[in-house]
Amino acid sequence: MSPFTCPRERELSTLLHSGHWPRACPDDLHTHVASCRNCSDLVLVTGALQAARRHTVELPRLEPAGAIWWRAQLRRRNAAIEKVGRPILGAQIFAVAMALVVVAAIAISQFGNWSVWFSDLPGTFHLTALIPSSMSENSTLWIIVPVITTIALLSGILAYFASEKQ
Amino acid sequence: MSWESIIPNVLAGESQSLAGTAPAAAMDNEQFAAFYARSARSLWAYLARVSRDPGLADDLTQEAYVRFLCADRPQDGEVAARRYLFKIATNLLRDHWRRPQSSSIDEIPEAVFAATASEDHSESVAMLGLAMAQMRPRDRQLLWLAYAEGYSHHEIAQITGLASASIRLLLFRARRKMARLLRDGGEA
Ligand SMILES: [Zn+2]
C-alpha cells in the first residue's frame, strides 16, 4: 500500500459518488473515516465539490444549441473549401514554375539561332531608331532582356492572382 | 461544379479514411441539441470553476462544442463523447493560459459564485471559492474532474494528457491541501 492510499478509499469513493454516503453505509466505515486522514479528506473535499457543482450548473445562460450547430457547419464548410483550394494553388505555382523553366531552357538552347533572328529584327521593324546609337552593337540583348522580363512579370502576376483567389 | 457539391465528397472521404471514427457533425441538429442539453451545464461549471472566470467559461463552452462538432471523435456512446468534450475544453483552457495577453487567473474575483448562492449555501460556496483560489489551476482541474465529475484516474489522464501513473499522487497532494484549506475556512 502506498502512503497516499487507504484500502477503504475505493469503497468510500463509490458510496460518495452514488449518493449513499453517509446514510446508507456500514457503521464500521463511519468509524474508519473518523480516524483515517485520507478518508476524512476524501469525504470533505468530495462533499464540497459536489455541492459546488450542484450550485454552479444552475448559473450559466447557455447559447442556443442551434446557433452552435450552425456555427460548426460553417466552420466545417470553410475548412473543406480551404482543403480543396490548397492543391489548386500548389498546382498553379508549380505550373508557373515549370513554364519559366521551359522558357529558360528553350532560350538557352536556341540562343544561337535566335541571336541571328533577333539581330535582323531591329532592321526589319526599323527598331534601330529606338536604340541609342552607342548601344546598337548589343541590339540582340536589348530585345531578349525585355522579353524575358515580360515573361517573368506575367508569371509573377499570375502567381499573385492565384494567391489572391485563394 | 459548385463548392457545395464538392464539399460533401471531401467530408465523406475524410470520414472514410479514419477507421473507427466518424465526424461528430454526423450528429444531426436535434441529436446535438439533446446532447448539449445534457452536457453543457456541467462543462460550463468545470470551465468556470477551474478558470474562476464565468465570462471565459461562456466563450470556451461555445468554442468547445464547435470544435467537438468539427472533429472526428470516437463513436463509443455518450460517456466517451462527454469525456472527449472535457478534453477539448481542457486543451482550450491550457491554450488560454499559455497566451501572454490573458490576465492572471488568480486576479479574477470569485464573487460571482458566492453572490448567486442561496443563503443556506453562501458560506460553504464562498469557502470553497477561497480554497479553490489558493490552488494551482492544474490542481483545480484534477480535483473537479475527480470529485465533482467523478472521473477515474484513467479517464482524467485521457482528458488532461497527464500520465496516468502521476494522477494518483497529484490528486492526493491536491486533495490534502484542499481539505486543509476547507478546515481552515479557505485561508492559506
Ligand atoms: Zn481510510
Side-chain angles (χ1 to χ4, degrees):
Chain A
M1 188 183 93
S2 72
F4 47 87
T5 56
C6 166
R8 304 209 69 175
E9 206 180 297
R10 190 181 290 270
E11 175 193 3
L12 180 61
S13 183
T14 306
L15 291 166
L16 279 163
H17 287 291
S18 63
H20 290 148
W21 175 270
R23 291 196 179 92
C25 296
D27 287 342
D28 68 316
L29 189 60
H30 283 275
T31 313
H32 170 79
V33 169
S35 61
C36 173
R37 173 85 188 271
N38 279 349
C39 290
S40 63
D41 281 0
L42 178 61
V43 169
L44 179 63
V45 170
T46 305
L49 287 168
Q50 285 182 341
R53 185 183 185 279
R54 282 194 297 275
H55 166 241
T56 312
V57 295
E58 299 301 325
L59 300 181
R61 280 191 300 273
L62 297 169
E63 190 172 353
I68 291 176
W69 197 80
W70 281 112
R71 200 179 307 156
Q73 302 313 305
L74 197 66
R75 195 179 292 183
R76 281 175 67 81
R77 181 180 177 276
N78 290 343
I81 288 170
E82 201 178 315
K83 208 166 190 174
V84 170
R86 217 174 292 144
I88 292 172
L89 174 67
Q92 284 168 331
I93 291 172
F94 181 75
V96 168
M98 286 309 292
L100 276 174
V101 168
V102 168
V103 165
I106 291 170
I108 290 164
S109 68
Q110 299 295 314
F111 185 76
N113 300 337
W114 286 5
S115 60
V116 176
W117 183 74
F118 274 122
S119 59
D120 293 342
L121 207 60
T124 310
F125 291 103
H126 306 286
L127 291 174
T128 38
L130 298 171
I131 302 168
S133 55
S134 60
M135 302 297 281
S136 57
E137 288 155 18
N138 294 326
S139 55
T140 309
L141 207 64
W142 269 87
I143 301 298
I144 290 174
V145 168
V147 167
I148 298 290
T149 308
T150 309
I151 290 170
L153 207 67
L154 283 173
S155 305
I157 290 167
L158 258 174
Y160 173 77
F161 278 118
S163 65
E164 277 298 288
K165 195 178 169 191
Q166 170 71 10
Chain B
M1 186 187 279
S2 69
W3 289 119
E4 286 75 8
S5 61
I6 296 168
I7 294 158
N9 297 334
V10 172
L11 297 177
E14 272 177 8
S15 64
Q16 282 158 9
S17 66
L18 290 157
T21 64
M27 209 181 235
D28 68 27
N29 200 344
E30 283 175 23
Q31 284 173 319
F32 172 69
F35 174 67
Y36 181 77
R38 288 191 295 270
S39 58
R41 290 183 175 276
S42 55
L43 186 74
W44 187 91
Y46 167 62
L47 288 165
R49 282 300 187 171
V50 172
S51 70
R52 302 176 55 238
D53 183 349
L56 179 67
D58 288 342
D59 295 344
L60 296 190
T61 299
Q62 290 170 27
E63 180 61 19
Y65 278 102
V66 171
R67 289 193 187 192
F68 172 83
L69 283 167
C70 291
D72 291 315
R73 62 175 174 81
Q75 288 211 314
D76 295 338
E78 179 146 341
V79 174
R82 276 177 84 108
R83 198 164 55 226
Y84 188 64
L85 193 62
F86 273 78
K87 185 187 170 84
I88 294 172
T90 301
N91 289 339
L92 287 172
L93 269 177
R94 192 180 303 145
D95 292 347
H96 174 79
W97 288 328
R98 278 180 184 161
R99 246 173 269 145
Q101 71 274 17
S102 66
S103 58
S104 164
I105 52 169
D106 291 328
E107 291 166 10
I108 296 160
E110 187 73 18
V112 66
F113 298 118
T116 50
S118 65
E119 260 182 46
D120 298 346
H121 295 104
S122 61
E123 197 180 329
S124 61
V125 167
M127 198 187 290
L128 181 99
L130 285 170
M132 287 287 261
Q134 307 288 329
M135 307 296 294
R136 288 182 303 173
R138 190 187 63 187
D139 291 342
R140 288 202 288 269
Q141 274 179 330
L142 295 176
L143 289 168
W144 193 269
L145 292 170
Y147 304 120
E149 287 296 327
Y151 280 119
S152 69
H153 293 176
H154 178 67
E155 288 172 316
I156 294 171
Q158 287 182 325
I159 291 168
T160 59
L162 293 167
S164 195
S166 64
I167 302 277
R168 184 184 294 276
L169 179 61
L170 292 170
L171 254 180
F172 171 79
R173 287 180 182 153
R175 189 179 74 195
R176 181 137 291 187
K177 183 179 176 185
M178 183 79 165
R180 184 171 52 75
L181 289 164
L182 289 171
R183 288 195 183 98
D184 295 346
E187 302 295 333

